[in-house]
Amino acid sequence: MKISLSDHFNVKRLLRFTLPSIIMMIVSSIYGVVDGFFVSNFAGKTPFAAVNFIMPFLMILGTVGFMFGTGGSALVAKTFGEGDSDRARRIFSLLIYVSIILGVVIAAFGIAFIRPVAYMLGARGELLDNCIIYSRVVLLGLPAFILQMEFQSFFVTAEKPNLGLYVTVGAGVTNMVLDWLFVGVFAWGLVGAAAATALSQMVGGFLPLLYFARKNTSILKLGKTHFDGKALLKTCTNGSSEFMSNISMSLVGMLYNIQLLNYAGEDGVAAYGVLMYVSMIFCGVFIGYSIGSAPVVGYHYGAGNREELKGLLKRSVGIISVFSVLMVGLSFLLSSPLSSLFVGYDKELLELTQQGFNIFSLSFLFMGMAIFGSGFFTALNDGLTSAAISFLRTLVFQIAAVLIFPLLWGIDGIWWSIVTAELAAVAVFVIFLFAKKNKYHYM
């Protein structure tokens, strides 16, 4: 049964509509996990640390895709809700074309400057060489990665979430198979892992490009457009929270790596990498739900359906709350086997990872609501409020905590800083929710 943005969404229908996006984000998150598993077990601890060390910078370069995807899909959905489908398709086309150009430029910049950036962050010797090798190969696929992140949102707006899921699963399977072949069989090490990631991103980015460029059964299609500075600015404003969130998380990730190098050396960076892999998967659930529900919220806001908007907020808060409790329980159960899977070959590193895991797991209790809160205001085309939540969550709170807590509790303070930042972000979301209720009428 086809679900349209204009439908009434009860809990069952909301879960059905957002499930493809949730799975899509989980599969996307598995890219890094698979790379990490093969690099750690087949290439060694230092290459594994190098991947985790430079990954935050690589993610910064790909944030344009998140910004254009979330911000653009919210604007396009709102424009459909207002009844102007032709303009919605022109905006969609403009954003895709601009993203391709930016992707090529950013990739060239990254390849040219990766050495001084990695050195500035503190990488030296073998760690520095490994960072450069991995980054330059991965960056070849950056334009496709930007498109992949963007299309994850637009497939939902196009009322084709299942198709987006199929493309992402195809890209994920490509990554897994090539990682096994390049790293496990051919023993190409970091180069093999990076090539597997870049090729899988090309599958995830270029296949949707071909789909939307041709006549299709969705409500979106690439076609003629013209420069629309107002729409481009609105997209960037709408998506500024996701842009800020990803940049902030990457900057904070760099700071965490620097702190962990100081407190625990390369073992600390490797342990943090394991936690981030698990976090990416669990975050994928929350981000996927936000991406999946955002076009629905945007459509009904644009159409002026206040009662539907109230129901969407109420049901979403309930769904996220249940997810959050399940995540905490699951992370406690899986902390030992997952730590052993990545770093079981090193006893001291394993103990450090498990210790951090048990504290870090508590962050999932608050993370989902903070992520949804930012995404909810993005869907309402209130990019400034969304950006404020993301900025405080991913930058201000975490930087303050990661600089102060280790002085009090050592390396455990680093893990507790993540939990504290997520809790503070939920408090900010609740404050904005009540402050803006009379403007948007969702309560």
Side-chain angles (χ1 to χ4, degrees), residues 321-370:
S321 298
V322 172
F323 281 169
S324 299
V325 174
L326 291 175
M327 293 294 178
V328 175
L330 190 61
S331 60
F332 275 119
L333 289 174
L334 296 178
S335 63
S336 180
L338 286 177
S339 298
S340 299
L341 179 67
F342 283 94
V343 294
Y345 53 82
D346 189 311
K347 184 178 179 181
E348 290 185 6
L349 178 56
L350 177 61
E351 290 177 356
L352 178 63
T353 304
Q354 288 177 330
Q355 179 183 352
F357 214 131
N358 290 331
I359 299 173
F360 176 79
S361 296
L362 296 174
S363 66
F364 298 125
L365 197 59
F366 313 108
M367 184 184 295
M369 201 62 68

Short mmCIF file of all heavy atoms in Angstrom, two decimals, residues 321-370:
data_model
loop_
_atom_site.label_atom_id
_atom_site.label_comp_id
_atom_site.label_asym_id
_atom_site.label_seq_id
_atom_site.Cartn_x
_atom_site.Cartn_y
_atom_site.Cartn_z
N SER A 321 11.18 7.79 22.34
CA SER A 321 11.40 7.38 23.73
C SER A 321 11.56 5.87 23.84
O SER A 321 12.44 5.37 24.55
CB SER A 321 10.24 7.85 24.61
OG SER A 321 10.15 9.26 24.61
N VAL A 322 10.72 5.13 23.15
CA VAL A 322 10.82 3.66 23.17
C VAL A 322 12.14 3.22 22.54
O VAL A 322 12.84 2.35 23.08
CB VAL A 322 9.63 3.02 22.41
CG1 VAL A 322 9.82 1.51 22.27
CG2 VAL A 322 8.33 3.31 23.17
N PHE A 323 12.48 3.80 21.40
CA PHE A 323 13.76 3.48 20.75
C PHE A 323 14.93 3.72 21.70
O PHE A 323 15.88 2.92 21.77
CB PHE A 323 13.95 4.34 19.49
CG PHE A 323 13.19 3.86 18.28
CD1 PHE A 323 13.09 4.66 17.15
CD2 PHE A 323 12.57 2.62 18.27
CE1 PHE A 323 12.39 4.24 16.03
CE2 PHE A 323 11.86 2.18 17.16
CZ PHE A 323 11.78 2.99 16.05
N SER A 324 14.90 4.83 22.42
CA SER A 324 16.01 5.22 23.29
C SER A 324 16.24 4.19 24.39
O SER A 324 17.39 3.80 24.66
CB SER A 324 15.73 6.59 23.90
OG SER A 324 15.61 7.58 22.91
N VAL A 325 15.17 3.76 25.03
CA VAL A 325 15.30 2.76 26.10
C VAL A 325 15.83 1.45 25.54
O VAL A 325 16.71 0.81 26.14
CB VAL A 325 13.93 2.54 26.79
CG1 VAL A 325 14.03 1.39 27.79
CG2 VAL A 325 13.48 3.81 27.50
N LEU A 326 15.34 1.05 24.38
CA LEU A 326 15.81 -0.19 23.76
C LEU A 326 17.29 -0.10 23.41
O LEU A 326 18.04 -1.07 23.56
CB LEU A 326 14.99 -0.49 22.50
CG LEU A 326 13.53 -0.90 22.71
CD1 LEU A 326 12.82 -1.05 21.38
CD2 LEU A 326 13.45 -2.20 23.51
N MET A 327 17.73 1.06 22.93
CA MET A 327 19.14 1.25 22.56
C MET A 327 20.07 1.09 23.75
O MET A 327 21.13 0.47 23.65
CB MET A 327 19.35 2.65 21.96
CG MET A 327 18.67 2.87 20.65
SD MET A 327 19.34 1.87 19.33
CE MET A 327 18.25 2.38 18.01
N VAL A 328 19.67 1.67 24.88
CA VAL A 328 20.51 1.57 26.07
C VAL A 328 20.65 0.11 26.50
O VAL A 328 21.75 -0.38 26.77
CB VAL A 328 19.93 2.42 27.23
CG1 VAL A 328 20.74 2.20 28.51
CG2 VAL A 328 19.95 3.89 26.86
N GLY A 329 19.53 -0.60 26.55
CA GLY A 329 19.57 -2.01 26.94
C GLY A 329 20.40 -2.84 25.98
O GLY A 329 21.22 -3.68 26.41
N LEU A 330 20.23 -2.59 24.69
CA LEU A 330 20.97 -3.35 23.68
C LEU A 330 22.46 -3.06 23.75
O LEU A 330 23.29 -3.98 23.61
CB LEU A 330 20.43 -2.99 22.29
CG LEU A 330 20.89 -3.85 21.11
CD1 LEU A 330 20.47 -5.30 21.31
CD2 LEU A 330 20.32 -3.30 19.80
N SER A 331 22.83 -1.81 23.98
CA SER A 331 24.24 -1.45 24.03
C SER A 331 24.95 -2.09 25.23
O SER A 331 26.10 -2.50 25.14
CB SER A 331 24.42 0.07 24.07
OG SER A 331 23.78 0.63 25.20
N PHE A 332 24.24 -2.19 26.37
CA PHE A 332 24.83 -2.86 27.53
C PHE A 332 25.06 -4.35 27.24
O PHE A 332 26.08 -4.93 27.61
CB PHE A 332 23.93 -2.70 28.76
CG PHE A 332 24.16 -1.43 29.51
CD1 PHE A 332 23.14 -0.50 29.66
CD2 PHE A 332 25.40 -1.13 30.07
CE1 PHE A 332 23.34 0.68 30.35
CE2 PHE A 332 25.61 0.05 30.76
CZ PHE A 332 24.58 0.96 30.91
N LEU A 333 24.11 -4.96 26.55
CA LEU A 333 24.22 -6.39 26.23
C LEU A 333 25.35 -6.66 25.23
O LEU A 333 26.02 -7.68 25.30
CB LEU A 333 22.89 -6.90 25.66
CG LEU A 333 21.73 -7.04 26.64
CD1 LEU A 333 20.45 -7.42 25.89
CD2 LEU A 333 22.04 -8.09 27.71
N LEU A 334 25.55 -5.71 24.30
CA LEU A 334 26.50 -5.94 23.21
C LEU A 334 27.89 -5.35 23.45
O LEU A 334 28.78 -5.52 22.62
CB LEU A 334 25.94 -5.36 21.90
CG LEU A 334 24.65 -6.00 21.37
CD1 LEU A 334 24.19 -5.28 20.11
CD2 LEU A 334 24.86 -7.48 21.09
N SER A 335 28.07 -4.66 24.57
CA SER A 335 29.35 -3.97 24.79
C SER A 335 30.54 -4.92 24.76
O SER A 335 31.56 -4.64 24.13
CB SER A 335 29.32 -3.22 26.13
OG SER A 335 29.17 -4.11 27.21
N SER A 336 30.42 -6.05 25.41
CA SER A 336 31.54 -7.00 25.46
C SER A 336 31.80 -7.68 24.12
O SER A 336 32.92 -7.66 23.63
CB SER A 336 31.30 -8.05 26.55
OG SER A 336 32.37 -8.96 26.60
N PRO A 337 30.76 -8.28 23.48
CA PRO A 337 31.04 -8.95 22.19
C PRO A 337 31.49 -8.00 21.09
O PRO A 337 32.35 -8.35 20.29
CB PRO A 337 29.70 -9.63 21.84
CG PRO A 337 28.67 -8.95 22.67
CD PRO A 337 29.37 -8.54 23.91
N LEU A 338 30.94 -6.77 21.05
CA LEU A 338 31.34 -5.83 20.01
C LEU A 338 32.77 -5.33 20.23
O LEU A 338 33.54 -5.17 19.28
CB LEU A 338 30.38 -4.64 19.97
CG LEU A 338 29.01 -4.90 19.36
CD1 LEU A 338 28.12 -3.67 19.45
CD2 LEU A 338 29.12 -5.36 17.91
N SER A 339 33.13 -5.09 21.48
CA SER A 339 34.50 -4.68 21.78
C SER A 339 35.48 -5.78 21.38
O SER A 339 36.54 -5.52 20.79
CB SER A 339 34.65 -4.37 23.27
OG SER A 339 33.82 -3.29 23.65
N SER A 340 35.13 -7.03 21.68
CA SER A 340 35.99 -8.16 21.33
C SER A 340 36.10 -8.33 19.82
O SER A 340 37.15 -8.71 19.30
CB SER A 340 35.44 -9.45 21.95
OG SER A 340 35.42 -9.36 23.36
N LEU A 341 35.03 -8.03 19.10
CA LEU A 341 35.02 -8.17 17.65
C LEU A 341 36.07 -7.28 16.99
O LEU A 341 36.76 -7.68 16.05
CB LEU A 341 33.63 -7.80 17.10
CG LEU A 341 33.43 -7.86 15.58
CD1 LEU A 341 33.53 -9.30 15.09
CD2 LEU A 341 32.08 -7.26 15.21
N PHE A 342 36.23 -6.06 17.52
CA PHE A 342 37.15 -5.10 16.91
C PHE A 342 38.57 -5.18 17.48
O PHE A 342 39.55 -5.09 16.74
CB PHE A 342 36.62 -3.68 17.08
CG PHE A 342 35.50 -3.33 16.15
CD1 PHE A 342 34.18 -3.47 16.54
CD2 PHE A 342 35.76 -2.88 14.87
CE1 PHE A 342 33.14 -3.16 15.68
CE2 PHE A 342 34.74 -2.57 14.00
CZ PHE A 342 33.42 -2.71 14.40
N VAL A 343 38.68 -5.30 18.81
CA VAL A 343 40.01 -5.18 19.43
C VAL A 343 40.29 -6.34 20.39
O VAL A 343 41.07 -6.18 21.34
CB VAL A 343 40.14 -3.82 20.16
CG1 VAL A 343 40.11 -2.67 19.17
CG2 VAL A 343 39.04 -3.65 21.22
N GLY A 344 39.69 -7.48 20.15
CA GLY A 344 39.89 -8.63 21.03
C GLY A 344 41.32 -9.15 21.03
O GLY A 344 41.72 -9.90 21.92
N TYR A 345 42.12 -8.72 20.04
CA TYR A 345 43.50 -9.20 19.93
C TYR A 345 44.44 -8.49 20.90
O TYR A 345 45.60 -8.87 21.04
CB TYR A 345 44.01 -8.98 18.50
CG TYR A 345 43.86 -7.58 17.99
CD1 TYR A 345 44.80 -6.59 18.32
CD2 TYR A 345 42.79 -7.20 17.19
CE1 TYR A 345 44.67 -5.30 17.87
CE2 TYR A 345 42.65 -5.90 16.73
CZ TYR A 345 43.60 -4.96 17.07
OH TYR A 345 43.45 -3.67 16.62
N ASP A 346 43.94 -7.44 21.59
CA ASP A 346 44.79 -6.65 22.50
C ASP A 346 44.06 -6.52 23.83
O ASP A 346 43.05 -5.81 23.94
CB ASP A 346 45.05 -5.27 21.89
CG ASP A 346 46.10 -4.48 22.68
OD1 ASP A 346 45.97 -4.41 23.92
OD2 ASP A 346 47.02 -3.92 22.05
N LYS A 347 44.56 -7.19 24.89
CA LYS A 347 43.87 -7.25 26.17
C LYS A 347 43.66 -5.87 26.80
O LYS A 347 42.56 -5.55 27.27
CB LYS A 347 44.64 -8.17 27.14
CG LYS A 347 43.93 -8.37 28.47
CD LYS A 347 44.71 -9.30 29.38
CE LYS A 347 43.99 -9.48 30.72
NZ LYS A 347 44.76 -10.38 31.63
N GLU A 348 44.71 -5.06 26.86
CA GLU A 348 44.60 -3.75 27.48
C GLU A 348 43.64 -2.84 26.72
O GLU A 348 42.83 -2.12 27.31
CB GLU A 348 45.98 -3.09 27.57
CG GLU A 348 46.92 -3.75 28.58
CD GLU A 348 48.23 -3.00 28.72
OE1 GLU A 348 48.34 -1.90 28.12
OE2 GLU A 348 49.12 -3.49 29.42
N LEU A 349 43.73 -2.89 25.39
CA LEU A 349 42.84 -2.09 24.56
C LEU A 349 41.40 -2.56 24.73
O LEU A 349 40.47 -1.74 24.78
CB LEU A 349 43.27 -2.17 23.10
CG LEU A 349 42.41 -1.43 22.07
CD1 LEU A 349 42.28 0.04 22.43
CD2 LEU A 349 43.01 -1.59 20.67
N LEU A 350 41.20 -3.85 24.84
CA LEU A 350 39.85 -4.40 25.04
C LEU A 350 39.25 -3.91 26.35
O LEU A 350 38.08 -3.51 26.39
CB LEU A 350 39.91 -5.94 25.02
CG LEU A 350 38.59 -6.67 25.28
CD1 LEU A 350 37.56 -6.33 24.21
CD2 LEU A 350 38.84 -8.19 25.32
N GLU A 351 40.02 -3.94 27.42
CA GLU A 351 39.53 -3.48 28.72
C GLU A 351 39.17 -1.99 28.69
O GLU A 351 38.15 -1.57 29.25
CB GLU A 351 40.58 -3.75 29.80
CG GLU A 351 40.78 -5.23 30.11
CD GLU A 351 41.88 -5.46 31.14
OE1 GLU A 351 42.53 -4.46 31.54
OE2 GLU A 351 42.09 -6.63 31.53
N LEU A 352 40.02 -1.18 28.04
CA LEU A 352 39.76 0.25 27.91
C LEU A 352 38.48 0.51 27.13
O LEU A 352 37.66 1.37 27.50
CB LEU A 352 40.94 0.92 27.22
CG LEU A 352 40.83 2.43 26.97
CD1 LEU A 352 40.73 3.20 28.28
CD2 LEU A 352 42.03 2.92 26.16
N THR A 353 38.28 -0.26 26.06
CA THR A 353 37.10 -0.09 25.22
C THR A 353 35.83 -0.47 25.97
O THR A 353 34.81 0.24 25.91
CB THR A 353 37.23 -0.95 23.94
OG1 THR A 353 38.44 -0.59 23.25
CG2 THR A 353 36.05 -0.72 23.02
N GLN A 354 35.85 -1.58 26.68
CA GLN A 354 34.68 -2.02 27.44
C GLN A 354 34.32 -1.03 28.55
O GLN A 354 33.15 -0.76 28.80
CB GLN A 354 34.92 -3.41 28.02
CG GLN A 354 34.92 -4.53 26.99
CD GLN A 354 35.24 -5.88 27.59
OE1 GLN A 354 35.97 -5.98 28.57
NE2 GLN A 354 34.71 -6.93 26.99
N GLN A 355 35.33 -0.50 29.19
CA GLN A 355 35.10 0.49 30.25
C GLN A 355 34.40 1.72 29.69
O GLN A 355 33.43 2.24 30.27
CB GLN A 355 36.44 0.88 30.88
CG GLN A 355 36.32 1.93 31.99
CD GLN A 355 37.69 2.33 32.52
OE1 GLN A 355 38.72 1.74 32.17
NE2 GLN A 355 37.72 3.35 33.36
N GLY A 356 34.89 2.21 28.55
CA GLY A 356 34.26 3.37 27.93
C GLY A 356 32.87 3.07 27.42
O GLY A 356 31.96 3.90 27.51
N PHE A 357 32.69 1.86 26.90
CA PHE A 357 31.41 1.45 26.34
C PHE A 357 30.29 1.52 27.39
O PHE A 357 29.19 2.01 27.12
CB PHE A 357 31.52 0.01 25.83
CG PHE A 357 30.69 -0.27 24.61
CD1 PHE A 357 31.25 -0.90 23.51
CD2 PHE A 357 29.36 0.08 24.55
CE1 PHE A 357 30.50 -1.18 22.37
CE2 PHE A 357 28.60 -0.19 23.43
CZ PHE A 357 29.17 -0.82 22.34
N ASN A 358 30.57 1.05 28.60
CA ASN A 358 29.54 0.98 29.64
C ASN A 358 29.06 2.37 30.06
O ASN A 358 27.89 2.55 30.41
CB ASN A 358 30.08 0.22 30.85
CG ASN A 358 30.25 -1.27 30.56
OD1 ASN A 358 29.53 -1.84 29.75
ND2 ASN A 358 31.22 -1.90 31.21
N ILE A 359 29.95 3.34 30.03
CA ILE A 359 29.55 4.71 30.35
C ILE A 359 28.87 5.36 29.15
O ILE A 359 27.79 5.96 29.26
CB ILE A 359 30.78 5.55 30.78
CG1 ILE A 359 31.42 4.94 32.03
CG2 ILE A 359 30.37 7.00 31.02
CD1 ILE A 359 32.73 5.60 32.43
N PHE A 360 29.49 5.22 28.00
CA PHE A 360 29.01 5.85 26.77
C PHE A 360 27.58 5.41 26.42
O PHE A 360 26.80 6.19 25.86
CB PHE A 360 29.96 5.49 25.63
CG PHE A 360 29.56 5.99 24.29
CD1 PHE A 360 29.78 7.31 23.93
CD2 PHE A 360 28.97 5.15 23.36
CE1 PHE A 360 29.42 7.77 22.68
CE2 PHE A 360 28.60 5.60 22.11
CZ PHE A 360 28.83 6.92 21.77
N SER A 361 27.22 4.17 26.76
CA SER A 361 25.90 3.63 26.41
C SER A 361 24.75 4.47 26.96
O SER A 361 23.67 4.52 26.36
CB SER A 361 25.77 2.20 26.95
OG SER A 361 26.71 1.34 26.32
N LEU A 362 24.97 5.14 28.08
CA LEU A 362 23.90 5.95 28.68
C LEU A 362 23.51 7.13 27.80
O LEU A 362 22.40 7.67 27.93
CB LEU A 362 24.36 6.46 30.05
CG LEU A 362 24.61 5.38 31.12
CD1 LEU A 362 25.19 6.01 32.37
CD2 LEU A 362 23.30 4.65 31.46
N SER A 363 24.38 7.54 26.88
CA SER A 363 24.07 8.68 26.02
C SER A 363 22.90 8.39 25.09
O SER A 363 22.19 9.31 24.66
CB SER A 363 25.30 9.07 25.19
OG SER A 363 25.65 8.06 24.28
N PHE A 364 22.66 7.11 24.76
CA PHE A 364 21.57 6.77 23.85
C PHE A 364 20.21 7.05 24.46
O PHE A 364 19.21 7.14 23.74
CB PHE A 364 21.67 5.29 23.45
CG PHE A 364 22.93 4.95 22.72
CD1 PHE A 364 23.76 3.94 23.16
CD2 PHE A 364 23.30 5.66 21.59
CE1 PHE A 364 24.93 3.63 22.50
CE2 PHE A 364 24.48 5.36 20.92
CZ PHE A 364 25.29 4.34 21.38
N LEU A 365 20.16 7.22 25.78
CA LEU A 365 18.90 7.53 26.44
C LEU A 365 18.41 8.93 26.07
O LEU A 365 17.20 9.20 26.08
CB LEU A 365 19.08 7.43 27.96
CG LEU A 365 17.84 7.33 28.83
CD1 LEU A 365 17.00 6.11 28.45
CD2 LEU A 365 18.22 7.26 30.30
N PHE A 366 19.32 9.82 25.71
CA PHE A 366 18.98 11.21 25.41
C PHE A 366 19.25 11.60 23.95
O PHE A 366 18.66 12.56 23.45
CB PHE A 366 19.78 12.14 26.32
CG PHE A 366 19.78 11.73 27.77
CD1 PHE A 366 20.92 11.20 28.36
CD2 PHE A 366 18.63 11.85 28.53
CE1 PHE A 366 20.92 10.81 29.69
CE2 PHE A 366 18.61 11.45 29.86
CZ PHE A 366 19.76 10.94 30.45
N MET A 367 20.13 10.87 23.29
CA MET A 367 20.58 11.23 21.95
C MET A 367 19.44 11.32 20.95
O MET A 367 19.36 12.26 20.14
CB MET A 367 21.62 10.21 21.48
CG MET A 367 22.24 10.50 20.14
SD MET A 367 23.35 9.16 19.64
CE MET A 367 24.62 9.25 20.90
N GLY A 368 18.52 10.36 20.98
CA GLY A 368 17.44 10.31 20.00
C GLY A 368 16.55 11.53 20.04
O GLY A 368 16.19 12.10 19.00
N MET A 369 16.19 11.97 21.25
CA MET A 369 15.31 13.13 21.37
C MET A 369 16.02 14.40 20.91
O MET A 369 15.39 15.28 20.31
CB MET A 369 14.84 13.28 22.81
CG MET A 369 13.57 14.09 22.96
SD MET A 369 12.15 13.32 22.13
CE MET A 369 11.90 11.87 23.16
N ALA A 370 17.31 14.50 21.19
CA ALA A 370 18.07 15.68 20.75
C ALA A 370 18.15 15.74 19.23
O ALA A 370 17.99 16.81 18.62
CB ALA A 370 19.47 15.65 21.36
#
